[in-house]
Every structure is written in C-alpha cells, then in structure tokens.
C-alpha cells in the first residue's frame, strides 16, 4: 500500500512539471537602450524641464500631451517610407484588437494629428504647441543615443513668414544657453519646396548615379528612394561624394530663395551666428524650406546634435487638414544633460528645509503629523525623522541637514499646546504656543525659504 501511494505521488509530480510553463529568469535591468532616471540625476532633469517650460511660456506656447502609442501609418505616411526611422527604428506591433501601432518615434506627426482632429485651425494663428516626453527608436545604442529618450518639442502652425523660422531658432538657442551650454553652433539650410525640389532631386540623382560605385550599400538603394538622405550619410566614402554634390541652396525657386535670405537677415539681426550646411537635410520626407540643427561646440571636436527641426508647410494638408504652413523643432534632453555635465553647468538646486520637527513620546509623535502638515500648507519646508524615537538621534539628523531651527514636541508641550523652538546656531530655546508657531517661523526664516505653492 505504502509503495503504491508513493508511486502515485511520483506520477503527479512529473505531470505537474510538464504542465508548468518554464520560469523565465527575472532580468533585473531595463531593456537595452533604456535607462532609469535616478534621483541623483533629477536635478539636471528638473533644470531641463524648468528652462524648456519657462521659454515655452515666454514665447506663447501652450502645452499639449499626446499618447505614446499611435497608428503605425501616421508615421509611415508623414515621416516617409524611405527614412531610417520608418524603415528600421520603429517599435511597431499589432495589438490584440489587430491594430498596427507604433511607440511614437517623434512628436510632430502626433501633434499634427491632434491639430487636425481637434479643429485647431480655427484658433488665432500661429497656434503654438509645446510638449515634453519620451520617444522610442530601435537604433543601435551608444553614448547620447538611446532607444527610449526624451525630447522637448515646439511646433508652430499657420504662419509662413520666415520671422517664425528665426524665432524658433532663437528659442532653441535660448534654451540651450539658459541651461549653461554657451558654446553651440547653429546650422541652417534650405531644402526647398516640392516645386524646386523636384528639379534639384533629379539633378542630385543623376550626380549620385555617376558616383554610384563610391557609395555604401545603403546609399546605393537610398539614392532612388530618398536621395537627399545620401548627403548626410555618416560613411566616409559617401561624405566625399556628398561634398561635391549639387547643393539645394543653389537650386531654390524665387519664393524659397527669398524665404531663406530673409531668415538669414533675421538671424543676423538677432546676432545669432550660423553656419550654412548644404549637407543638412534632416532626412524626413515632410520638411520643406528651412531646416536647422543646434550642435554642441566641444573643443575636443566631438560634436553632437542637441536638437533640430524645420518647416513642414505641406504636412497638414497631406494628412487631410487645411493647407497650413508650420515649423517645429525638438531638443534631445539626454544630449542636453550630457553637455551640461561636460561643461559643468549647474543643475537645478531645490530649496532645502531650514526647519526640523523632532518629537518625543507616543502622544507627541501622533500630534507631529498634523503640525508638519500645518507648516507644509503654509509653505514652510520642514524635515523630519518620524521613525526615530530618541531625541538625540533626531537632533543628529537635524544637524546633518544643517537646519536653522528645530522644533521639539514632547509630552509636556503636547499637553500644553506648545512647541519648543530651538535656534540651531545659538542653541537658544524658547517655548511658543502652537497657534503662533507658523507666524514665528516665517518671521525667523529668510523669506526665500518660504515657498508658497497656493494662497
Ligand atoms: P530628431 O527628432 O531626430 O531630429 O532629433 C532631435 C534631437 O533629439 C537630436 O538632436 C538629439 O538630441 C535627440 N535624439 C534623437 N535621437 C535620439 C536617440 N536615439 N537618443 C537620444 N537622443 C536622441
């Protein structure tokens, strides 16, 4: 009997082993090309967010947030089929509902979709929109290139005048400079409109055909799908071919030439030095006329593009909206932060509490939560260490934090409705009624430590 029982147990064990799905080991790291933004790095992110948000506000941009996931064809049609983003880099998948979707690789297409969908064309022009958030591109990760990265994005709809182009370049450069990155290079180019680009494209293709054997495999194919893209190929041999290629600025129609000339005059007026880079094409199909990039100007010669953008006067119409000229740009936040660190620019310094609340005994501990919240509501930053029991260890924390005042709430004070206010530099203590505490602390602290979030 015992023998047969043990046999049954054995059988069941084997069966359950087969049925159980294999347990994947837990990988304690994010996906390749993705990173945590740890608290130690947040002061840089705070600074980037504060500066971009302030400039967006100052230049009249309204915040917009769009979903991370959109239909795949939104990007395929707008960015263009022959581009690296669409061909190789999209995080594309089919949902359970059979929708073909993509994690957004850029902001412009989604913001245009929203602009059309919500009938923003009836708003006073230009309609200026700003966003900040993560994007996804399945590229080969390296320093300054991630698969999940953040951008601050600015889009302006409804204005054809080149003064807008100049203002967008001005904003991009102001953001970078305000973050403490002083040495930057503005690169501009004009890639014309569909009218003049047609002739230029034909000229370029025939030039590239004559140099075909000197191009990389990708460019041999690209020259027919997206010939402008050959001009910014990173391969040395392609760069040599590109250096002698016909330049779009020499083949602009009158309208595009005047637009570009006027933009350069505005940039001169703004004292914004620029370099005309005939090889700057930005790769995406939707650009027309002005394209630009902001480059870090490091002395060691390792330059990186901090951001870029351009006009896309035909995109809204192509997507089914009204004919609406537009221009936008985006700055890469990780790249800005790398550059801030390289030039030792200051991150955001959050105000530190100058008051510490210490409690002693069970009753005081209970009351201290309310006292803390009263000060918080009055805009006084307070530190505490509620988990600690002994006054000595709490005062140790207060000393380490370098606070100016420590409030001590013991059993007696709790019963009397008072609190001890200790000046940490002189050691002088006074007992005050808790009703008067907030006013007294406000008076004692320098005004800059009182942060009023709400009136
Ligand atoms: P783009 O949208 O390609 O014009 O890029 C605008 C800016 O975003 C670039 O100048 C970079 O600063 C940043 N950026 C683009 N791709 C990446 C990436 N894969 N990782 C980090 N930053 C990026």
């Amino acid at each position: 009997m015992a023998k047969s029982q043990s046999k049954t147990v054995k059988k069941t064990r084997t069966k359950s082993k087969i049925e159980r799905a294999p347990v994947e080991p837990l990988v304690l790291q994010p996906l390749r090309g993705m990173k945590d933004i740890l608290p130690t790095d947040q002061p840089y992110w705070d600074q980037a967010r504060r500066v971009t948000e302030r400039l967006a506000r100052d230049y009249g941009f309204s915040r917009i947030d769009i979903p991370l996931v959109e239909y795949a064809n939104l990007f395929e049609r707008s960015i263009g089929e022959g581009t690296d983003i669409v061909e190789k880099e999209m995080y594309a998948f089919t949902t359970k509902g059979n929708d073909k979707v993509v994690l957004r690789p850029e902001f412009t297409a989604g913001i245009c979709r929203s602009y059309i969908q919500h009938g923003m064309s009836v708003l006073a022009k230009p309609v200026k929109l700003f966003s900040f958030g993560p994007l996804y591109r399945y590229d080969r990760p390296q320093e300054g290139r991630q698969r999940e990265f953040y951008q601050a994005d600015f889009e302006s709809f409804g204005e054809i005048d080149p003064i807008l182009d100049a203002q967008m370049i001005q904003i991009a450069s102001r953001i970078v400079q305000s973050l403490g990155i002083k040495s930057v290079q503005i690169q501009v180019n004009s890639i014309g409109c569909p009218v003049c680009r047609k002739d230029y494209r034909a000229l370029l293709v025939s030039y590239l055909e004559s140099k075909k054997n000197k191009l990389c495999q990708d460019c041999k194919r690209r020259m027919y799908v997206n010939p402008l893209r050959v001009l910014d190929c990173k391969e040395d041999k392609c760069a040599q071919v590109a250096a002698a290629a016909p330049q779009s600025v020499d083949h602009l129609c009158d309208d595009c030439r005047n637009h570009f000339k006027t933009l350069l005059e505005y940039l001169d007026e703004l004292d914004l030095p620029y370099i005309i880079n005939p090889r700057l094409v930005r790769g995406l199909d939707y650009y027309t006329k002005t394209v630009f990039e902001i480059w870090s100007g490091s002395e060691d010669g390792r330059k990186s593009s901090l951001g870029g953008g351009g006009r896309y006067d035909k995109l809204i119409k192509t997507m089914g909206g009204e004919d609406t000229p537009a221009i936008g740009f985006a700055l890469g936040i990780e790249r800005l932060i790398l550059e801030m660190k390289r030039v030792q620019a200051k991150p955001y310094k959050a105000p530190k509490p100058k008051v510490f609340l210490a409690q002693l005994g069970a009753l005081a501990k209970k009351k201290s939560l309310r006292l803390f919240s009263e000060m918080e509501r009055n805009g006084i930053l307070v530190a505490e260490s509620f988990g600690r029991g002994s006054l000595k260890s709490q005062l140790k924390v207060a000393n380490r934090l370098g606070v100016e005042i420590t409030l001590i709430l013991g059993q007696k004070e709790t019963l009397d409705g008072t609190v001890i206010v200790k000046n940490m530099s002189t050691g002088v203590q006074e007992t005050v009624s808790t009703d008067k505490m907030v006013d007294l602390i406000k008076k004692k602290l320098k005004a800059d430590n009182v942060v009023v979030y709400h009136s």
Side-chain angles (χ1 to χ4, degrees):
M1 178 73 179
K3 215 174 182 184
S4 83
Q5 243 178 8
S6 97
K7 252 188 188 167
T8 324
V9 172
K10 228 180 190 175
K11 256 189 199 161
T12 328
R13 275 210 197 120
T14 328
K15 204 173 167 202
S16 72
K17 214 177 191 180
I18 294 165
E19 278 171 1
R20 211 178 296 143
V23 180
E24 297 263 348
L26 192 60
V27 182
L28 291 177
Q29 58 184 42
L31 298 179
R32 193 160 121 80
M34 303 197 180
K35 281 186 185 167
D36 298 319
I37 306 166
L38 297 173
T40 44
D41 240 16
Q42 291 292 344
Y44 288 95
W45 285 80
D46 280 340
Q47 187 69 350
R49 267 187 288 262
R50 291 167 75 91
V51 165
T52 47
E53 280 170 10
R54 180 169 58 79
L55 275 139
R57 186 202 60 205
D58 291 356
Y59 279 85
F61 285 74
S62 305
R63 171 95 190 199
I64 184 167
D65 287 297
I66 51 167
L68 280 185
V69 189
E70 300 258 8
Y71 288 113
N73 67 2
L74 174 70
F75 301 105
E76 288 159 2
R77 301 240 185 101
S78 56
I79 297 175
E81 309 264 4
T83 58
D84 279 355
I85 293 186
V86 168
E87 272 186 356
K88 307 181 198 159
E89 298 172 7
M90 294 213 291
Y91 273 87
F93 57 97
T94 305
T95 64
K96 287 179 184 160
N98 233 9
D99 290 322
K100 291 199 169 63
V101 300
V102 165
L103 297 187
R104 63 185 186 193
E106 58 122 47
F107 275 109
T108 307
I111 294 180
C112 288
R113 192 262 311 132
S114 180
Y115 178 90
I116 301 169
Q117 181 191 348
H118 298 286
M120 292 190 216
S121 59
V122 300
L123 302 175
K125 307 279 187 338
V127 177
K128 295 177 171 181
L129 301 172
F130 157 73
S131 202
F132 190 108
L135 305 165
Y136 300 84
R137 292 184 197 167
Y138 198 83
D139 201 355
R140 197 164 46 83
Q142 52 184 271
E143 176 160 88
R145 191 184 300 151
Q146 296 175 200
R147 289 181 173 171
E148 180 186 61
F149 63 98
Y150 282 68
Q151 282 185 347
D153 182 82
F154 292 72
E155 309 288 346
S156 177
F157 297 95
E159 187 59 78
I160 188 80
D161 198 298
I163 196 159
L164 250 285
D165 308 28
Q167 196 180 44
M168 293 298 256
I169 295 174
Q170 184 187 30
I171 300 169
S173 133
R174 278 281 297 132
I175 292 174
V176 175
Q177 303 251 338
S178 304
L179 287 170
I181 305 166
K182 302 293 177 202
S183 170
V184 290
Q185 203 180 69
I186 299 168
Q187 300 198 351
V188 286
N189 192 19
S190 174
I191 53 169
C193 63
V195 177
C196 52
R197 197 171 327 144
K198 210 162 135 202
D199 292 344
Y200 171 64
R201 192 188 143 110
L203 199 70
L204 183 62
V205 173
S206 88
Y207 167 79
L208 294 173
E209 272 174 339
S210 73
K211 307 282 175 195
K212 197 169 176 178
N213 53 359
K214 294 187 176 154
L215 296 175
C216 73
Q217 281 309 321
D218 261 357
C219 283
K220 277 183 184 145
R221 187 180 48 82
R222 255 189 221 140
M223 60 183 275
Y224 297 110
V225 194
N226 197 345
L228 264 69
R229 201 65 233 250
V230 177
L231 299 179
D232 72 354
C233 177
K234 302 287 177 287
E235 293 279 333
D236 278 349
K237 51 185 186 176
C238 300
Q240 277 171 24
V241 173
Q247 302 183 355
S248 57
V249 278
D250 296 330
H251 300 276
L252 299 176
C253 60
D254 286 349
D255 178 37
C256 289
R257 194 178 315 110
N258 280 336
H259 189 100
F260 194 48
K261 189 171 145 277
T262 318
L263 162 65
L264 300 184
E265 285 166 9
Y266 282 128
L267 293 180
D268 289 337
E269 181 62 33
L270 285 169
D271 287 328
L272 281 176
Y274 55 83
I275 288 176
I276 300 175
N277 177 357
R279 289 181 51 201
L280 181 70
V281 295
R282 308 257 321 129
L284 314 191
D285 277 5
Y286 57 60
Y287 284 119
T288 49
K289 291 192 167 94
T290 311
V291 286
F292 66 94
E293 282 188 359
I294 309 278
W295 285 70
S296 67
S298 72
E299 309 87 46
D300 60 6
R302 278 182 53 213
K303 292 188 165 60
S304 84
S305 164
L306 301 174
R311 262 199 180 271
Y312 49 94
D313 291 340
K314 306 292 167 202
L315 181 58
I316 295 276
K317 177 102 187 279
T318 319
M319 287 172 63
E322 283 173 25
D323 206 355
T324 310
I327 178 163
F329 75 87
L331 292 166
I333 306 301
E334 285 83 357
R335 299 255 180 107
L336 288 174
I337 290 176
L338 275 174
E339 194 59 13
M340 280 173 79
K341 289 180 177 170
R342 197 186 63 79
V343 302
Q344 295 179 352
K346 286 200 177 77
Y348 174 66
K349 207 168 160 221
K352 286 214 165 78
K354 290 189 177 164
V355 180
F356 187 89
L357 174 58
Q359 35 72 39
L360 199 62
L363 190 61
K365 194 168 183 171
K366 256 188 217 159
K367 291 284 171 207
S368 56
L369 273 180
R370 187 185 295 276
L371 215 60
F372 184 97
S373 132
E374 195 181 331
M375 284 187 282
E376 179 272 317
R377 267 182 274 146
N378 278 280
I380 301 169
L381 287 173
V382 190
E384 44 75 19
S385 182
F386 288 154
R388 284 169 212 254
S390 95
L391 187 61
K392 198 172 156 201
S393 71
Q394 292 181 68
L395 289 178
K396 225 178 184 177
V397 178
N399 269 321
R400 183 162 44 78
L401 295 175
V403 295
E404 287 180 16
I405 296 167
T406 295
L407 304 171
I408 304 166
L409 190 65
Q411 170 92 353
K412 180 175 180 308
E413 290 75 30
T414 313
L415 295 171
D416 293 351
T418 59
V419 61
I420 298 172
V421 179
K422 177 176 173 154
N423 181 319
M424 295 297 277
S425 43
T426 63
V428 174
Q429 294 192 176
E430 54 187 310
T431 302
V432 298
S433 140
T434 42
D435 304 341
K436 305 221 171 83
M437 184 195 65
V438 164
D439 284 345
L440 182 82
I441 293 174
K442 277 189 177 172
K443 228 185 274 165
K444 282 183 183 285
L445 290 180
K446 288 177 199 87
D448 67 1
N449 197 47
V450 179
V451 190
V452 179
Y453 298 106
H454 34 70
S455 55

